[in-house]
Amino acid sequence: MGAQSTEISMPSQSKVLTLLRSLISIRSTTLQEQSVVDFLKTYLMQHSWHVHLQPIPDSSPTRHNIYAYRSKSETDNIRTNVKVLLNSHVDTVPPHIELSEDDETLYGRGSCDAKASMAAQICAVEELIEEGKIAEEDVGLLYVVGEETNHIGMIAANSLNINAQYLLVGEPTEMMIAEGHKGMIKADIVVKGQAGHSGYPERGKSAIVALVDILHDLQHTEWPSDPVLGATTLNLGQISGGVAANVIPEHARADISFRISTNAEQVAAQLRTIVEQPRTDGVHVTLSIRGMQNPVRCETVDVDGVEKFVARYFTDIPYLKGTQKPLLFGPGSILVAHSEKEFVKKDDVIRSVRIIKEIVQKLVHRAT
């Protein structure tokens, strides 16, 4: 692609940054997303998009996903067949941090995770349509709630029955295209021993000692790895137990998580074998797996000057069922997402519009 076709005009630069400023300025921490959804609805309708707000079942307060598409028809039927579905999430982690900026950078909650991606996606596809490089019916926009907690928005989006060949998800990828991201397991290990006076250790069974033994074994286990996605890693997130220094602890608990690069059930089976093996008499161990997802393999597109990488974090991708092939790209870094200094570089936002345009064009041409 020549230099002329990848340039972004000054009005376009101003448009994406203006939209992003508006998005960051609106508080949208999880459960408080409705204001930014309402803003997006108005904005997209003013820019010739048909907008459907999808209620989230059993949500209190009331929340909606937003699905937008272009159509020359005025029918009430929602058009759900698209070649490329562009997606991100409207919710942010707390607390809300107000917008601020300097010459090079926009700061504030959601600036990189993931409102920069939304702004860039919207501006990119609008430019492609206006330039006649894709057809209106080639693309749709899906922005969901609840990604930062329980993925309820993407789960609910399945009932929209969107038929897409490709799913381009916007998350902070440091301007690189992901080859995939790791899966996860979240689990609790609960140990019950027998309380007693610390002066008579033979009279009790320490739940903490048993738990430490289990965690030691987990930390010194070789977990499976993948040549592309890398090593499966374990995090000991929380540990609790005991009531006092002079009491043999009857209860102990650890909350752990894995970032999985291979098959989740394989790792879960290995975890069960270690945790549930016979240990000290009189000590009972319970393993509860609270969540499990396999890693995601992403489709990729070659774009000049854009590297590829593997994301260690998790996304909404596996919660949207179907045959669509996922891609993952966006401005900003996950290393500053969720922090009090969350930011995104203005030049990256502007450049991401050009990259998304090239990705979408190539996917549209690749689609059958």
Side-chain angles (χ1 to χ4, degrees):
M1 184 173 288
Q4 185 176 2
S5 64
T6 60
E7 288 179 356
I8 301 175
S9 66
M10 287 302 295
S12 297
Q13 294 182 22
S14 175
K15 181 179 179 181
V16 69
L17 294 178
T18 298
L19 175 56
L20 179 53
R21 290 185 185 98
S22 296
L23 292 171
I24 299 170
S25 297
I26 301 171
R27 179 190 301 269
S28 61
T29 51
T30 306
L31 296 178
Q32 297 181 310
E33 302 102 329
Q34 195 59 41
S35 292
V36 78
V37 169
D38 291 340
F39 168 83
L40 280 169
K41 175 186 176 182
T42 300
Y43 179 92
L44 292 169
M45 290 179 67
Q46 289 173 345
H47 288 78
S48 303
W49 293 86
H50 292 257
V51 175
H52 172 70
L53 294 189
Q54 180 196 25
I56 304 302
D58 304 319
S59 176
S60 180
T62 299
R63 296 185 289 166
H64 296 83
N65 290 333
I66 184 165
Y67 173 60
Y69 57 95
R70 292 283 187 93
S71 176
K72 294 181 174 63
S73 172
E74 294 301 322
T75 178
D76 290 335
N77 295 328
I78 301 172
R79 186 173 60 76
T80 55
N81 291 318
V82 296
K83 292 180 179 178
V84 182
L85 180 64
L86 295 96
N87 160 261
S88 192
H89 58 94
V90 298
D91 66 317
T92 68
V93 297
H96 177 66
I97 300 173
E98 295 292 339
L99 169 70
S100 62
E101 66 180 291
D102 55 33
D103 290 344
E104 297 180 348
T105 308
L106 290 169
Y107 303 89
R109 181 61 75 225
S111 53
C112 75
D113 188 15
K115 293 179 177 180
S117 290
M118 280 194 292
Q121 289 179 352
I122 292 168
C123 291
V125 294
E126 287 184 344
E127 288 183 21
L128 286 172
I129 292 171
E130 291 165 5
E131 294 164 1
K133 293 178 179 177
I134 63 171
E136 289 187 336
E137 62 268 19
D138 287 336
V139 294
L141 305 173
L142 174 65
Y143 298 124
V144 300
V145 302
E147 189 271 349
E148 296 289 3
T149 53
N150 57 4
H151 307 278
I152 189 172
M154 192 64 112
I155 293 169
N158 285 289
S159 66
L160 292 172
N161 296 315
I162 301 170
N163 180 26
Q165 294 188 47
Y166 297 98
L167 172 70
L168 177 54
V169 174
E171 290 281 4
T173 67
E174 299 184 10
M175 305 295 290
M176 295 183 285
I177 295 173
E179 296 178 302
H181 71 64
K182 292 186 177 183
M184 64 85 183
I185 287 177
K186 296 179 181 178
D188 306 328
I189 303 169
V190 177
V191 181
K192 185 179 187 301
Q194 182 178 338
H197 193 289
S198 63
Y200 302 87
E202 72 280 1
R203 306 286 294 184
K205 301 291 182 181
S206 172
I208 289 179
V209 169
L211 179 60
V212 168
D213 186 42
I214 293 169
L215 298 181
H216 176 273
D217 288 351
L218 293 177
Q219 285 187 292
H220 290 82
T221 294
E222 184 175 347
W223 302 100
S225 63
D226 178 86
V228 174
L229 300 181
T232 292
T233 58
L234 165 67
N235 182 58
L236 308 180
Q238 290 183 306
I239 299 175
S240 60
V243 293
N246 61 346
V247 178
I248 298 170
E250 182 179 9
H251 298 283
R253 173 187 174 119
D255 293 3
I256 66 174
S257 65
F258 290 86
R259 297 294 178 172
I260 297 168
S261 59
T262 57
N263 179 271
E265 188 53 55
Q266 175 189 0
V267 176
Q270 194 173 355
L271 173 63
R272 292 187 190 100
T273 298
I274 295 169
V275 172
E276 295 174 354
Q277 65 178 283
R279 295 184 184 269
T280 306
D281 290 342
V283 173
H284 180 71
V285 180
T286 302
L287 172 67
S288 299
I289 294 179
R290 295 184 285 114
M292 182 167 61
Q293 286 284 353
N294 281 317
V296 170
R297 310 279 176 166
C298 288
E299 189 85 353
T300 61
V301 169
D302 291 330
V303 178
D304 287 345
V306 179
E307 299 178 3
K308 296 181 176 69
F309 84 117
V310 172
R312 299 186 193 179
Y313 51 83
F314 202 66
T315 74
D316 261 342
I317 289 175
Y319 294 95
L320 187 66
K321 307 305 178 184
T323 59
Q324 67 279 346
K325 297 177 181 178
L327 297 92
L328 183 62
F329 170 82
S333 171
I334 198 68
L335 300 180
V336 299
H338 301 191
S339 76
E340 62 181 12
K341 295 295 185 181
E342 183 176 349
F343 69 86
V344 67
K345 292 293 184 181
K346 294 178 183 178
D347 284 348
D348 283 350
V349 177
I350 293 166
R351 181 169 166 248
S352 70
V353 174
R354 191 267 297 172
I355 295 171
I356 292 169
K357 288 175 68 176
E358 187 167 345
I359 292 172
V360 171
Q361 269 191 280
K362 289 185 174 182
L363 293 178
V364 167
H365 293 156
R366 189 182 294 180
T368 56

